[in-house]
Amino acid sequence: MDAAVSHHTCKELLVSLSDYLDGEAAEALCAEIERHLADCEDCRVVVDTLRKTILLYRTLPPPSPPQTIRARLLHALELDKDAP
Amino acid sequence: MTKELPAPTLLSPELLDEAYEQRLLERIRAGDKTACAECIDLHSAGVYRLALRMVGDPHEAEDIVQETFLNAFRTIDSFEGRSSLSTWLYRIAYNAALMRLRKKQPLHVSIDPHVDEEETATTPVQLFDWCCLPEEDFQTAEARNELERAISELPEPLRAVFVLRELEGLSTEETAQALDLSVSNVKVRLHRARLWLRERLSGYFTELAQRSQERN
C-alpha cells in the first residue's frame, strides 16, 4: 500500500495535478491525464484523495475572531473616542 | 473534465468594490475615525485568521491584528494602491507573524524565500483509497481537528500561501503580492501544500477506513 508513486509518467502527471483539479489545464493535457488515470491505479488514488482533501479544507468552518477583538482594537488604536 | 470543486468564499462584496475602497482610503487618509473602524470591520477577521494560522496562538494572533492596523494607519500615506487594501494588510500581518516566528525559532524559520526542497518533499507515499469512507466520517469533530492540526503543521514556507490562496480566497496574483513571491512560486507552493496535506490526512483516513473494514 505504501509504495511511493515513482514511475516517470506518474511523476510528470503529479506536477500538473493542481492545474488539472482547478480546471486550468489545457484540454490536451486533461485528455493525457485521464488516459493515464484509466491505466494507473496509484495515480487515480492520488487524484481522488487529493480532490477529497481540497473539498474537506474548503468546507472547513473558518476560525472566528474573539468577540472582544473589535472593542479592544478600537480602544488600542484610540478610535473609540469619537467613533459611533 | 474534472469534477468542479467549490471555490473559497470568504471574500465579502465590499472587499471586491474598488470604488468603495478608494473612498475608504481617502477618508482614512483624512483622519476619519469612522473610516478606520469600517476598515477594521471589513478586514480584521481575515487578518486574524491568517495570523492565527501562522502563529497558532489566539492571543498572539490578536496582538498581530492590533500591530497590523496600527502600522497600516500610521503608514497609510505610503500605500500606493498597487495592490488592494486587503492584500496590503495581509502583507503587513504576514511580516509581523514571521518576525514573531523567527524570534521563537530563529533556526527553523527560513529567511530564504525559496522553499526548502527537503522539508517539503511531497512525493505521494500513501496510496490507499480512503474516499470510500462514509461522508459522516469526514464530518466528525475528530476529523475536523485532524484537518486543523494538519494545516497548522504545514511547513512554514507553504502555510501562508495555502491560507491566503485556499482559505482566504485570494487570487494567485494577490497571494504573490501579499507574500512578495512570484506567481509561479505561489503555484508551486500551493501544489506542494495540497500534496503535503493529502499525504498527512491519508495516514488518519487510511487507518479509519481499515478499522471500518475489519469491523465489517
Side-chain angles (χ1 to χ4, degrees), chain A residues 1-5 14 18 20 22 49 52 57-58 60 70 72 77-78, chain B residues 2 6 33 41 62 66 70 124-125 127 129 135 148 166 191 194 198 210:
Chain A
M1 167 206 337
D2 285 4
V5 166
L14 200 63
S18 273
Y20 173 69
D22 289 337
T49 50
K52 187 69 184 175
Y57 65 62
R58 285 198 180 163
L60 190 68
R70 183 180 192 272
R72 280 196 220 151
L77 302 178
E78 297 181 352
Chain B
T2 67
K33 289 187 174 184
D41 287 343
E62 207 172 325
Q66 192 169 309
L70 196 64
V125 173
L127 298 172
D129 190 352
E135 194 49 39
E148 284 287 358
E166 288 292 69
H191 182 54
R194 285 171 166 182
R198 187 209 75 89
Q210 285 173 339

PDB file of all heavy atoms in Angstrom, chain A residues 1-5 14 18 20 22 49 52 57-58 60 70 72 77-78, chain B residues 2 6 33 41 62 66 70 124-125 127 129 135 148 166 191 194 198 210:
ATOM      1  N   MET A   1       0.811  -1.199   0.000  1.00  0.00           N
ATOM      2  CA  MET A   1       0.000   0.000   0.000  1.00  0.00           C
ATOM      3  C   MET A   1       0.851   1.258   0.000  1.00  0.00           C
ATOM      4  O   MET A   1       0.584   2.191  -0.717  1.00  0.00           O
ATOM      5  CB  MET A   1      -0.903  -0.082   1.223  1.00  0.00           C
ATOM      6  CG  MET A   1      -1.609   1.174   1.589  1.00  0.00           C
ATOM      7  SD  MET A   1      -1.979   1.169   3.339  1.00  0.00           S
ATOM      8  CE  MET A   1      -1.961  -0.573   3.735  1.00  0.00           C
ATOM      9  N   ASP A   2       1.933   1.253   0.815  1.00  0.00           N
ATOM     10  CA  ASP A   2       2.751   2.457   0.900  1.00  0.00           C
ATOM     11  C   ASP A   2       3.926   2.409  -0.062  1.00  0.00           C
ATOM     12  O   ASP A   2       5.078   2.336   0.317  1.00  0.00           O
ATOM     13  CB  ASP A   2       3.273   2.652   2.333  1.00  0.00           C
ATOM     14  CG  ASP A   2       2.167   3.144   3.223  1.00  0.00           C
ATOM     15  OD1 ASP A   2       1.021   3.244   2.741  1.00  0.00           O
ATOM     16  OD2 ASP A   2       2.450   3.427   4.384  1.00  0.00           O
ATOM     17  N   ALA A   3       3.643   2.365  -1.332  1.00  0.00           N
ATOM     18  CA  ALA A   3       4.713   2.365  -2.327  1.00  0.00           C
ATOM     19  C   ALA A   3       4.654   3.681  -3.074  1.00  0.00           C
ATOM     20  O   ALA A   3       3.680   3.964  -3.749  1.00  0.00           O
ATOM     21  CB  ALA A   3       4.511   1.202  -3.288  1.00  0.00           C
ATOM     22  N   ALA A   4       5.697   4.472  -2.902  1.00  0.00           N
ATOM     23  CA  ALA A   4       5.676   5.818  -3.479  1.00  0.00           C
ATOM     24  C   ALA A   4       5.433   5.787  -4.985  1.00  0.00           C
ATOM     25  O   ALA A   4       5.901   4.890  -5.685  1.00  0.00           O
ATOM     26  CB  ALA A   4       6.990   6.516  -3.184  1.00  0.00           C
ATOM     27  N   VAL A   5       4.675   6.792  -5.449  1.00  0.00           N
ATOM     28  CA  VAL A   5       4.486   6.961  -6.894  1.00  0.00           C
ATOM     29  C   VAL A   5       5.851   7.261  -7.494  1.00  0.00           C
ATOM     30  O   VAL A   5       6.494   8.227  -7.122  1.00  0.00           O
ATOM     31  CB  VAL A   5       3.508   8.131  -7.167  1.00  0.00           C
ATOM     32  CG1 VAL A   5       3.558   8.538  -8.620  1.00  0.00           C
ATOM     33  CG2 VAL A   5       2.100   7.739  -6.772  1.00  0.00           C
ATOM     34  N   LEU A  14       2.035  14.219 -11.793  1.00  0.00           N
ATOM     35  CA  LEU A  14       1.921  14.815 -10.460  1.00  0.00           C
ATOM     36  C   LEU A  14       2.107  16.334 -10.498  1.00  0.00           C
ATOM     37  O   LEU A  14       1.396  17.074  -9.818  1.00  0.00           O
ATOM     38  CB  LEU A  14       2.993  14.183  -9.572  1.00  0.00           C
ATOM     39  CG  LEU A  14       2.813  14.265  -8.073  1.00  0.00           C
ATOM     40  CD1 LEU A  14       1.574  13.519  -7.650  1.00  0.00           C
ATOM     41  CD2 LEU A  14       4.038  13.698  -7.382  1.00  0.00           C
ATOM     42  N   SER A  18      -2.561  19.965  -9.781  1.00  0.00           N
ATOM     43  CA  SER A  18      -3.326  21.100  -9.275  1.00  0.00           C
ATOM     44  C   SER A  18      -4.027  21.831 -10.410  1.00  0.00           C
ATOM     45  O   SER A  18      -5.201  22.190 -10.300  1.00  0.00           O
ATOM     46  CB  SER A  18      -2.421  22.060  -8.492  1.00  0.00           C
ATOM     47  OG  SER A  18      -2.347  21.636  -7.153  1.00  0.00           O
ATOM     48  N   TYR A  20      -4.921  20.565 -13.190  1.00  0.00           N
ATOM     49  CA  TYR A  20      -5.990  19.670 -13.646  1.00  0.00           C
ATOM     50  C   TYR A  20      -7.217  19.787 -12.744  1.00  0.00           C
ATOM     51  O   TYR A  20      -8.336  19.980 -13.210  1.00  0.00           O
ATOM     52  CB  TYR A  20      -5.449  18.235 -13.651  1.00  0.00           C
ATOM     53  CG  TYR A  20      -6.484  17.172 -13.935  1.00  0.00           C
ATOM     54  CD1 TYR A  20      -7.061  17.058 -15.200  1.00  0.00           C
ATOM     55  CD2 TYR A  20      -6.880  16.270 -12.941  1.00  0.00           C
ATOM     56  CE1 TYR A  20      -8.011  16.077 -15.462  1.00  0.00           C
ATOM     57  CE2 TYR A  20      -7.822  15.287 -13.193  1.00  0.00           C
ATOM     58  CZ  TYR A  20      -8.390  15.199 -14.450  1.00  0.00           C
ATOM     59  OH  TYR A  20      -9.331  14.225 -14.702  1.00  0.00           O
ATOM     60  N   ASP A  22      -7.989  22.202 -10.717  1.00  0.00           N
ATOM     61  CA  ASP A  22      -8.540  23.568 -10.711  1.00  0.00           C
ATOM     62  C   ASP A  22      -9.212  23.913 -12.043  1.00  0.00           C
ATOM     63  O   ASP A  22      -9.690  25.032 -12.204  1.00  0.00           O
ATOM     64  CB  ASP A  22      -7.413  24.591 -10.438  1.00  0.00           C
ATOM     65  CG  ASP A  22      -6.931  24.515  -8.999  1.00  0.00           C
ATOM     66  OD1 ASP A  22      -7.696  24.039  -8.145  1.00  0.00           O
ATOM     67  OD2 ASP A  22      -5.787  24.941  -8.734  1.00  0.00           O
ATOM     68  N   THR A  49      -7.985  11.189  -3.797  1.00  0.00           N
ATOM     69  CA  THR A  49      -7.773  11.602  -2.399  1.00  0.00           C
ATOM     70  C   THR A  49      -7.314  13.064  -2.331  1.00  0.00           C
ATOM     71  O   THR A  49      -7.628  13.755  -1.359  1.00  0.00           O
ATOM     72  CB  THR A  49      -6.767  10.677  -1.674  1.00  0.00           C
ATOM     73  OG1 THR A  49      -5.605  10.534  -2.479  1.00  0.00           O
ATOM     74  CG2 THR A  49      -7.374   9.316  -1.394  1.00  0.00           C
ATOM     75  N   LYS A  52     -10.501  15.030  -2.712  1.00  0.00           N
ATOM     76  CA  LYS A  52     -11.268  14.964  -1.449  1.00  0.00           C
ATOM     77  C   LYS A  52     -10.616  15.860  -0.390  1.00  0.00           C
ATOM     78  O   LYS A  52     -11.308  16.531   0.382  1.00  0.00           O
ATOM     79  CB  LYS A  52     -11.324  13.505  -0.964  1.00  0.00           C
ATOM     80  CG  LYS A  52     -12.217  13.273   0.230  1.00  0.00           C
ATOM     81  CD  LYS A  52     -13.683  13.439  -0.119  1.00  0.00           C
ATOM     82  CE  LYS A  52     -14.576  13.312   1.088  1.00  0.00           C
ATOM     83  NZ  LYS A  52     -15.983  13.580   0.785  1.00  0.00           N
ATOM     84  N   TYR A  57     -10.909  20.761   3.098  1.00  0.00           N
ATOM     85  CA  TYR A  57     -10.467  22.011   3.724  1.00  0.00           C
ATOM     86  C   TYR A  57     -11.240  23.220   3.212  1.00  0.00           C
ATOM     87  O   TYR A  57     -11.358  24.208   3.915  1.00  0.00           O
ATOM     88  CB  TYR A  57      -8.948  22.201   3.677  1.00  0.00           C
ATOM     89  CG  TYR A  57      -8.285  22.372   2.336  1.00  0.00           C
ATOM     90  CD1 TYR A  57      -8.575  23.432   1.509  1.00  0.00           C
ATOM     91  CD2 TYR A  57      -7.301  21.470   1.928  1.00  0.00           C
ATOM     92  CE1 TYR A  57      -7.924  23.598   0.298  1.00  0.00           C
ATOM     93  CE2 TYR A  57      -6.651  21.623   0.716  1.00  0.00           C
ATOM     94  CZ  TYR A  57      -6.963  22.685  -0.094  1.00  0.00           C
ATOM     95  OH  TYR A  57      -6.324  22.847  -1.288  1.00  0.00           O
ATOM     96  N   ARG A  58     -11.797  23.126   2.022  1.00  0.00           N
ATOM     97  CA  ARG A  58     -12.581  24.271   1.535  1.00  0.00           C
ATOM     98  C   ARG A  58     -13.942  24.355   2.212  1.00  0.00           C
ATOM     99  O   ARG A  58     -14.612  25.374   2.131  1.00  0.00           O
ATOM    100  CB  ARG A  58     -12.747  24.197   0.017  1.00  0.00           C
ATOM    101  CG  ARG A  58     -11.472  24.571  -0.689  1.00  0.00           C
ATOM    102  CD  ARG A  58     -11.716  24.934  -2.131  1.00  0.00           C
ATOM    103  NE  ARG A  58     -10.481  25.285  -2.792  1.00  0.00           N
ATOM    104  CZ  ARG A  58     -10.351  25.328  -4.108  1.00  0.00           C
ATOM    105  NH1 ARG A  58     -11.373  25.044  -4.886  1.00  0.00           N
ATOM    106  NH2 ARG A  58      -9.194  25.671  -4.643  1.00  0.00           N
ATOM    107  N   LEU A  60     -14.234  23.543   5.477  1.00  0.00           N
ATOM    108  CA  LEU A  60     -13.937  23.635   6.912  1.00  0.00           C
ATOM    109  C   LEU A  60     -14.421  24.998   7.432  1.00  0.00           C
ATOM    110  O   LEU A  60     -14.098  26.026   6.825  1.00  0.00           O
ATOM    111  CB  LEU A  60     -12.418  23.512   7.103  1.00  0.00           C
ATOM    112  CG  LEU A  60     -11.863  23.346   8.505  1.00  0.00           C
ATOM    113  CD1 LEU A  60     -12.249  21.993   9.092  1.00  0.00           C
ATOM    114  CD2 LEU A  60     -10.341  23.487   8.485  1.00  0.00           C
ATOM    115  N   ARG A  70     -12.908  43.533  18.374  1.00  0.00           N
ATOM    116  CA  ARG A  70     -13.221  44.841  17.792  1.00  0.00           C
ATOM    117  C   ARG A  70     -13.063  45.947  18.833  1.00  0.00           C
ATOM    118  O   ARG A  70     -12.383  46.951  18.592  1.00  0.00           O
ATOM    119  CB  ARG A  70     -14.640  44.845  17.223  1.00  0.00           C
ATOM    120  CG  ARG A  70     -15.001  46.141  16.546  1.00  0.00           C
ATOM    121  CD  ARG A  70     -16.419  46.126  15.987  1.00  0.00           C
ATOM    122  NE  ARG A  70     -16.636  47.250  15.103  1.00  0.00           N
ATOM    123  CZ  ARG A  70     -17.052  48.450  15.497  1.00  0.00           C
ATOM    124  NH1 ARG A  70     -17.279  48.685  16.782  1.00  0.00           N
ATOM    125  NH2 ARG A  70     -17.220  49.415  14.616  1.00  0.00           N
ATOM    126  N   ARG A  72     -11.419  45.911  21.623  1.00  0.00           N
ATOM    127  CA  ARG A  72     -10.010  46.051  22.041  1.00  0.00           C
ATOM    128  C   ARG A  72      -9.194  46.809  20.997  1.00  0.00           C
ATOM    129  O   ARG A  72      -8.359  47.644  21.326  1.00  0.00           O
ATOM    130  CB  ARG A  72      -9.393  44.670  22.282  1.00  0.00           C
ATOM    131  CG  ARG A  72      -9.764  44.119  23.618  1.00  0.00           C
ATOM    132  CD  ARG A  72      -8.828  42.976  23.967  1.00  0.00           C
ATOM    133  NE  ARG A  72      -9.583  41.918  24.610  1.00  0.00           N
ATOM    134  CZ  ARG A  72      -9.288  40.638  24.562  1.00  0.00           C
ATOM    135  NH1 ARG A  72      -8.251  40.239  23.872  1.00  0.00           N
ATOM    136  NH2 ARG A  72     -10.013  39.759  25.197  1.00  0.00           N
ATOM    137  N   LEU A  77      -6.303  51.541  19.308  1.00  0.00           N
ATOM    138  CA  LEU A  77      -5.977  52.498  18.249  1.00  0.00           C
ATOM    139  C   LEU A  77      -6.617  53.871  18.506  1.00  0.00           C
ATOM    140  O   LEU A  77      -6.592  54.744  17.637  1.00  0.00           O
ATOM    141  CB  LEU A  77      -6.439  51.957  16.885  1.00  0.00           C
ATOM    142  CG  LEU A  77      -5.850  50.601  16.471  1.00  0.00           C
ATOM    143  CD1 LEU A  77      -6.409  50.143  15.144  1.00  0.00           C
ATOM    144  CD2 LEU A  77      -4.335  50.667  16.381  1.00  0.00           C
ATOM    145  N   GLU A  78      -7.191  54.003  19.693  1.00  0.00           N
ATOM    146  CA  GLU A  78      -7.848  55.259  20.111  1.00  0.00           C
ATOM    147  C   GLU A  78      -8.905  55.704  19.100  1.00  0.00           C
ATOM    148  O   GLU A  78      -9.016  56.889  18.769  1.00  0.00           O
ATOM    149  CB  GLU A  78      -6.798  56.355  20.336  1.00  0.00           C
ATOM    150  CG  GLU A  78      -5.849  55.999  21.462  1.00  0.00           C
ATOM    151  CD  GLU A  78      -4.800  57.074  21.726  1.00  0.00           C
ATOM    152  OE1 GLU A  78      -4.706  58.025  20.943  1.00  0.00           O
ATOM    153  OE2 GLU A  78      -4.101  56.943  22.730  1.00  0.00           O
TER     154      GLU A  78
ATOM    155  N   THR B   2     -12.656  17.629 -15.135  1.00  0.00           N
ATOM    156  CA  THR B   2     -12.676  17.274 -13.717  1.00  0.00           C
ATOM    157  C   THR B   2     -13.974  17.728 -13.068  1.00  0.00           C
ATOM    158  O   THR B   2     -14.631  18.644 -13.538  1.00  0.00           O
ATOM    159  CB  THR B   2     -11.519  17.960 -12.974  1.00  0.00           C
ATOM    160  OG1 THR B   2     -11.751  19.349 -12.985  1.00  0.00           O
ATOM    161  CG2 THR B   2     -10.199  17.632 -13.607  1.00  0.00           C
ATOM    162  N   PRO B   6     -15.610  23.387  -4.945  1.00  0.00           N
ATOM    163  CA  PRO B   6     -16.139  24.691  -4.513  1.00  0.00           C
ATOM    164  C   PRO B   6     -15.002  25.684  -4.307  1.00  0.00           C
ATOM    165  O   PRO B   6     -13.945  25.324  -3.818  1.00  0.00           O
ATOM    166  CB  PRO B   6     -16.810  24.362  -3.173  1.00  0.00           C
ATOM    167  CG  PRO B   6     -16.104  23.134  -2.676  1.00  0.00           C
ATOM    168  CD  PRO B   6     -15.684  22.368  -3.893  1.00  0.00           C
ATOM    169  N   LYS B  33     -12.059  58.749  11.761  1.00  0.00           N
ATOM    170  CA  LYS B  33     -12.006  57.570  12.641  1.00  0.00           C
ATOM    171  C   LYS B  33     -13.072  56.536  12.287  1.00  0.00           C
ATOM    172  O   LYS B  33     -12.859  55.337  12.466  1.00  0.00           O
ATOM    173  CB  LYS B  33     -12.158  58.006  14.097  1.00  0.00           C
ATOM    174  CG  LYS B  33     -10.926  58.736  14.620  1.00  0.00           C
ATOM    175  CD  LYS B  33     -11.051  58.985  16.106  1.00  0.00           C
ATOM    176  CE  LYS B  33      -9.743  59.589  16.624  1.00  0.00           C
ATOM    177  NZ  LYS B  33      -9.772  59.762  18.077  1.00  0.00           N
ATOM    178  N   ASP B  41     -13.600  46.633  10.591  1.00  0.00           N
ATOM    179  CA  ASP B  41     -14.740  45.712  10.480  1.00  0.00           C
ATOM    180  C   ASP B  41     -14.637  44.842   9.231  1.00  0.00           C
ATOM    181  O   ASP B  41     -14.984  43.665   9.243  1.00  0.00           O
ATOM    182  CB  ASP B  41     -16.055  46.506  10.438  1.00  0.00           C
ATOM    183  CG  ASP B  41     -16.385  47.078  11.819  1.00  0.00           C
ATOM    184  OD1 ASP B  41     -15.805  46.600  12.811  1.00  0.00           O
ATOM    185  OD2 ASP B  41     -17.202  48.014  11.888  1.00  0.00           O
ATOM    186  N   GLU B  62      -4.201  37.930  18.028  1.00  0.00           N
ATOM    187  CA  GLU B  62      -4.885  39.196  18.311  1.00  0.00           C
ATOM    188  C   GLU B  62      -3.869  40.348  18.370  1.00  0.00           C
ATOM    189  O   GLU B  62      -4.130  41.447  17.882  1.00  0.00           O
ATOM    190  CB  GLU B  62      -5.648  39.079  19.628  1.00  0.00           C
ATOM    191  CG  GLU B  62      -6.826  40.005  19.681  1.00  0.00           C
ATOM    192  CD  GLU B  62      -7.728  39.789  20.895  1.00  0.00           C
ATOM    193  OE1 GLU B  62      -7.894  38.625  21.332  1.00  0.00           O
ATOM    194  OE2 GLU B  62      -8.228  40.780  21.403  1.00  0.00           O
ATOM    195  N   GLN B  66      -3.679  43.786  15.978  1.00  0.00           N
ATOM    196  CA  GLN B  66      -3.514  45.148  16.501  1.00  0.00           C
ATOM    197  C   GLN B  66      -2.309  45.840  15.854  1.00  0.00           C
ATOM    198  O   GLN B  66      -2.395  46.969  15.387  1.00  0.00           O
ATOM    199  CB  GLN B  66      -3.340  45.069  18.014  1.00  0.00           C
ATOM    200  CG  GLN B  66      -3.452  46.407  18.698  1.00  0.00           C
ATOM    201  CD  GLN B  66      -3.535  46.225  20.204  1.00  0.00           C
ATOM    202  OE1 GLN B  66      -4.338  45.448  20.699  1.00  0.00           O
ATOM    203  NE2 GLN B  66      -2.690  46.914  20.928  1.00  0.00           N
ATOM    204  N   LEU B  70      -2.370  49.150  13.434  1.00  0.00           N
ATOM    205  CA  LEU B  70      -1.589  50.285  13.934  1.00  0.00           C
ATOM    206  C   LEU B  70      -0.580  50.727  12.860  1.00  0.00           C
ATOM    207  O   LEU B  70      -0.493  51.896  12.497  1.00  0.00           O
ATOM    208  CB  LEU B  70      -0.872  49.861  15.219  1.00  0.00           C
ATOM    209  CG  LEU B  70      -0.315  50.958  16.114  1.00  0.00           C
ATOM    210  CD1 LEU B  70      -1.436  51.811  16.670  1.00  0.00           C
ATOM    211  CD2 LEU B  70       0.475  50.347  17.281  1.00  0.00           C
ATOM    212  N   PRO B 124       3.909  11.342  -3.356  1.00  0.00           N
ATOM    213  CA  PRO B 124       2.891  10.531  -2.672  1.00  0.00           C
ATOM    214  C   PRO B 124       3.422   9.151  -2.262  1.00  0.00           C
ATOM    215  O   PRO B 124       4.017   8.450  -3.075  1.00  0.00           O
ATOM    216  CB  PRO B 124       1.788  10.395  -3.725  1.00  0.00           C
ATOM    217  CG  PRO B 124       1.984  11.534  -4.640  1.00  0.00           C
ATOM    218  CD  PRO B 124       3.465  11.781  -4.670  1.00  0.00           C
ATOM    219  N   VAL B 125       3.221   8.828  -1.018  1.00  0.00           N
ATOM    220  CA  VAL B 125       3.616   7.523  -0.489  1.00  0.00           C
ATOM    221  C   VAL B 125       2.370   6.752  -0.065  1.00  0.00           C
ATOM    222  O   VAL B 125       2.258   5.552  -0.275  1.00  0.00           O
ATOM    223  CB  VAL B 125       4.581   7.703   0.714  1.00  0.00           C
ATOM    224  CG1 VAL B 125       4.871   6.366   1.373  1.00  0.00           C
ATOM    225  CG2 VAL B 125       5.875   8.358   0.259  1.00  0.00           C
ATOM    226  N   LEU B 127      -0.982   5.342  -0.574  1.00  0.00           N
ATOM    227  CA  LEU B 127      -1.753   5.046  -1.784  1.00  0.00           C
ATOM    228  C   LEU B 127      -2.990   4.194  -1.504  1.00  0.00           C
ATOM    229  O   LEU B 127      -3.398   3.371  -2.320  1.00  0.00           O
ATOM    230  CB  LEU B 127      -0.851   4.362  -2.818  1.00  0.00           C
ATOM    231  CG  LEU B 127       0.330   5.221  -3.300  1.00  0.00           C
ATOM    232  CD1 LEU B 127       1.279   4.419  -4.168  1.00  0.00           C
ATOM    233  CD2 LEU B 127      -0.176   6.438  -4.066  1.00  0.00           C
ATOM    234  N   ASP B 129      -7.027   4.136  -1.019  1.00  0.00           N
ATOM    235  CA  ASP B 129      -8.153   4.991  -1.401  1.00  0.00           C
ATOM    236  C   ASP B 129      -9.157   5.081  -0.251  1.00  0.00           C
ATOM    237  O   ASP B 129      -9.996   4.211  -0.081  1.00  0.00           O
ATOM    238  CB  ASP B 129      -8.833   4.422  -2.655  1.00  0.00           C
ATOM    239  CG  ASP B 129      -9.845   5.404  -3.208  1.00  0.00           C
ATOM    240  OD1 ASP B 129     -10.112   6.436  -2.548  1.00  0.00           O
ATOM    241  OD2 ASP B 129     -10.382   5.149  -4.303  1.00  0.00           O
ATOM    242  N   GLU B 135     -19.615   9.581   4.257  1.00  0.00           N
ATOM    243  CA  GLU B 135     -19.455  11.036   4.372  1.00  0.00           C
ATOM    244  C   GLU B 135     -19.424  11.488   5.833  1.00  0.00           C
ATOM    245  O   GLU B 135     -18.685  12.417   6.189  1.00  0.00           O
ATOM    246  CB  GLU B 135     -20.594  11.729   3.601  1.00  0.00           C
ATOM    247  CG  GLU B 135     -20.375  13.201   3.341  1.00  0.00           C
ATOM    248  CD  GLU B 135     -19.009  13.567   2.748  1.00  0.00           C
ATOM    249  OE1 GLU B 135     -18.485  12.836   1.893  1.00  0.00           O
ATOM    250  OE2 GLU B 135     -18.464  14.612   3.175  1.00  0.00           O
ATOM    251  N   GLU B 148      -7.473  20.487  10.949  1.00  0.00           N
ATOM    252  CA  GLU B 148      -6.929  21.727  11.532  1.00  0.00           C
ATOM    253  C   GLU B 148      -5.470  21.519  11.941  1.00  0.00           C
ATOM    254  O   GLU B 148      -4.622  22.370  11.708  1.00  0.00           O
ATOM    255  CB  GLU B 148      -7.740  22.156  12.767  1.00  0.00           C
ATOM    256  CG  GLU B 148      -9.068  22.797  12.455  1.00  0.00           C
ATOM    257  CD  GLU B 148      -8.938  24.217  11.900  1.00  0.00           C
ATOM    258  OE1 GLU B 148      -7.823  24.744  11.786  1.00  0.00           O
ATOM    259  OE2 GLU B 148      -9.996  24.784  11.557  1.00  0.00           O
ATOM    260  N   GLU B 166      -6.061  29.396  -0.563  1.00  0.00           N
ATOM    261  CA  GLU B 166      -7.106  28.382  -0.446  1.00  0.00           C
ATOM    262  C   GLU B 166      -8.165  28.677   0.606  1.00  0.00           C
ATOM    263  O   GLU B 166      -9.310  28.282   0.454  1.00  0.00           O
ATOM    264  CB  GLU B 166      -6.472  27.018  -0.114  1.00  0.00           C
ATOM    265  CG  GLU B 166      -5.726  26.409  -1.255  1.00  0.00           C
ATOM    266  CD  GLU B 166      -6.629  25.972  -2.395  1.00  0.00           C
ATOM    267  OE1 GLU B 166      -7.187  26.848  -3.067  1.00  0.00           O
ATOM    268  OE2 GLU B 166      -6.762  24.765  -2.610  1.00  0.00           O
ATOM    269  N   HIS B 191       0.645  23.868  -4.744  1.00  0.00           N
ATOM    270  CA  HIS B 191       0.583  22.464  -5.171  1.00  0.00           C
ATOM    271  C   HIS B 191       1.251  21.555  -4.125  1.00  0.00           C
ATOM    272  O   HIS B 191       0.714  20.521  -3.749  1.00  0.00           O
ATOM    273  CB  HIS B 191       1.267  22.342  -6.531  1.00  0.00           C
ATOM    274  CG  HIS B 191       1.223  20.967  -7.105  1.00  0.00           C
ATOM    275  ND1 HIS B 191       0.042  20.276  -7.268  1.00  0.00           N
ATOM    276  CD2 HIS B 191       2.208  20.135  -7.529  1.00  0.00           C
ATOM    277  CE1 HIS B 191       0.306  19.082  -7.775  1.00  0.00           C
ATOM    278  NE2 HIS B 191       1.604  18.979  -7.937  1.00  0.00           N
ATOM    279  N   ARG B 194      -0.926  21.250  -1.021  1.00  0.00           N
ATOM    280  CA  ARG B 194      -2.039  20.316  -1.210  1.00  0.00           C
ATOM    281  C   ARG B 194      -1.558  18.863  -1.103  1.00  0.00           C
ATOM    282  O   ARG B 194      -2.192  18.038  -0.456  1.00  0.00           O
ATOM    283  CB  ARG B 194      -2.657  20.538  -2.593  1.00  0.00           C
ATOM    284  CG  ARG B 194      -3.507  21.790  -2.697  1.00  0.00           C
ATOM    285  CD  ARG B 194      -3.878  22.019  -4.137  1.00  0.00           C
ATOM    286  NE  ARG B 194      -4.947  22.993  -4.285  1.00  0.00           N
ATOM    287  CZ  ARG B 194      -5.471  23.323  -5.466  1.00  0.00           C
ATOM    288  NH1 ARG B 194      -5.010  22.775  -6.564  1.00  0.00           N
ATOM    289  NH2 ARG B 194      -6.451  24.199  -5.532  1.00  0.00           N
ATOM    290  N   ARG B 198      -2.612  16.099   1.649  1.00  0.00           N
ATOM    291  CA  ARG B 198      -3.181  14.809   1.240  1.00  0.00           C
ATOM    292  C   ARG B 198      -2.443  13.662   1.914  1.00  0.00           C
ATOM    293  O   ARG B 198      -3.043  12.747   2.458  1.00  0.00           O
ATOM    294  CB  ARG B 198      -3.108  14.649  -0.287  1.00  0.00           C
ATOM    295  CG  ARG B 198      -3.828  13.423  -0.834  1.00  0.00           C
ATOM    296  CD  ARG B 198      -3.212  12.883  -2.112  1.00  0.00           C
ATOM    297  NE  ARG B 198      -1.973  12.183  -1.839  1.00  0.00           N
ATOM    298  CZ  ARG B 198      -1.897  10.867  -1.556  1.00  0.00           C
ATOM    299  NH1 ARG B 198      -2.980  10.123  -1.524  1.00  0.00           N
ATOM    300  NH2 ARG B 198      -0.719  10.307  -1.297  1.00  0.00           N
ATOM    301  N   GLN B 210      -9.428   1.310   7.337  1.00  0.00           N
ATOM    302  CA  GLN B 210      -9.025  -0.071   7.595  1.00  0.00           C
ATOM    303  C   GLN B 210      -9.722  -0.619   8.843  1.00  0.00           C
ATOM    304  O   GLN B 210     -10.134  -1.772   8.875  1.00  0.00           O
ATOM    305  CB  GLN B 210      -7.507  -0.154   7.725  1.00  0.00           C
ATOM    306  CG  GLN B 210      -6.836  -0.032   6.360  1.00  0.00           C
ATOM    307  CD  GLN B 210      -5.331   0.062   6.422  1.00  0.00           C
ATOM    308  OE1 GLN B 210      -4.774   0.415   7.469  1.00  0.00           O
ATOM    309  NE2 GLN B 210      -4.673  -0.219   5.321  1.00  0.00           N
TER     310      GLN B 210
END
